[in-house]
Amino acid sequence: MTTIGFIGSGKVGSTLARLAVDTGHDVVLSNSRGPRTLQGLVTRLGPRARAAAVSEAAQEADIAVVTIPLKAYTQVPAGPLRGKVVIDTINYNPDRDGCIHEIDAGHTTAGGLLQAHLKESYVVKAFNNIFFKHLATLGRPAGAPDRSALAIAGDDAAAKTTVAALIDALGYDAYDAGALAESRRFAAGTPAHRAYLDPVGMFAAPGRPVSAADLADLLGAASQ
């Protein structure tokens, strides 16, 4: 099975790691504080998981997941990720990341910055518009009437096919939103970024299933 290397192992990363090991994948976890800080998570995930330094997680990965604050994106090691598919889950948060002029001016996106840094990798935006607790619970078998769709965006068709297959294995349909620049349509603050939130209970409530058709409408609203 595929080995998934995690650069960043916080709430989104650890949730994805749990889904991955539950579907038979091996995971290599890393963070900026070192492997020892991840031993508790590794123990909970079981024998398919191990912790490593960031560079080793990148080297071992068949697919890498980058789930760190955007302000740290230049710390992602480019060399070990050369030629690999990299899933970018990052949201731009000016309060945390500081103001980034290129994004504020509409010249690029968080995914665009990561792709420019990882020039020889294939960056696909995914998993950035769903709350980690909802990601853990909304997955359904293929064909289920309440199966949700997750948006992806990227510039390489083969990379998007790879990510779509992983998303399918995790219990979701993948909805191709287009090129990486189109990830702006499901970035923070857009209707699609709130797609799975109950408008009354918000983050405290269970996630709402969102079909591919409903997601398409929300992505379209961001283009208006």
Side-chain angles (χ1 to χ4, degrees):
M1 299 296 286
T2 302
T3 296
I4 303 174
F6 287 83
I7 299 172
S9 301
K11 292 176 179 178
V12 174
S14 60
T15 299
L16 283 171
R18 165 54 65 193
L19 294 175
V21 298
D22 285 349
T23 53
H25 296 287
D26 293 326
V27 300
V28 183
L29 304 161
S30 71
N31 64 16
S32 61
R33 295 175 294 141
R36 289 185 179 180
T37 65
L38 294 168
Q39 289 308 311
L41 175 58
V42 167
T43 298
R44 293 193 297 274
L45 291 175
R48 288 194 175 275
R50 67 182 184 89
V54 170
S55 58
E56 185 179 356
Q59 187 66 52
E60 294 295 320
D62 297 314
I63 299 173
V65 176
V66 175
T67 176
I68 59 175
L70 181 59
K71 63 183 178 181
Y73 81 94
T74 57
Q75 298 174 24
V76 177
L81 294 173
R82 185 176 296 114
K84 296 182 180 182
V85 174
V86 176
I87 299 174
D88 164 31
T89 77
I90 301 170
N91 284 309
Y92 171 44
N93 181 344
D95 291 337
R96 177 194 64 196
D97 302 315
C99 292
I100 299 175
H101 173 73
E102 296 94 331
I103 296 178
D104 293 337
H107 300 319
T108 190
T109 62
L113 288 177
L114 185 63
Q115 180 66 85
H117 173 62
L118 301 176
K119 294 180 175 62
E120 297 181 82
S121 301
Y122 305 102
V123 173
V124 177
K125 193 77 172 187
F127 301 113
N128 67 297
N129 69 321
I130 184 168
F131 184 44
F132 74 98
K133 290 184 179 179
H134 299 162
L135 176 62
T137 58
L138 282 176
R140 300 290 188 273
D146 61 343
R147 198 181 210 219
S148 291
L150 297 174
I152 65 173
D155 295 334
D156 185 86
K160 287 194 287 187
T161 297
T162 296
V163 174
L166 176 62
I167 288 173
D168 176 63
L170 300 184
Y172 295 87
D173 293 329
Y175 183 89
D176 189 348
L180 190 57
E182 294 301 311
S183 63
R184 64 178 179 77
R185 296 194 289 146
F186 53 101
T190 64
H193 200 263
R194 299 185 294 272
Y196 313 92
L197 291 174
D198 184 309
V200 177
M202 298 297 285
F203 296 102
R208 297 188 304 171
V210 176
S211 69
D214 290 338
L215 184 57
D217 288 342
L218 293 169
L219 291 167
S223 300
Q224 301 302 316

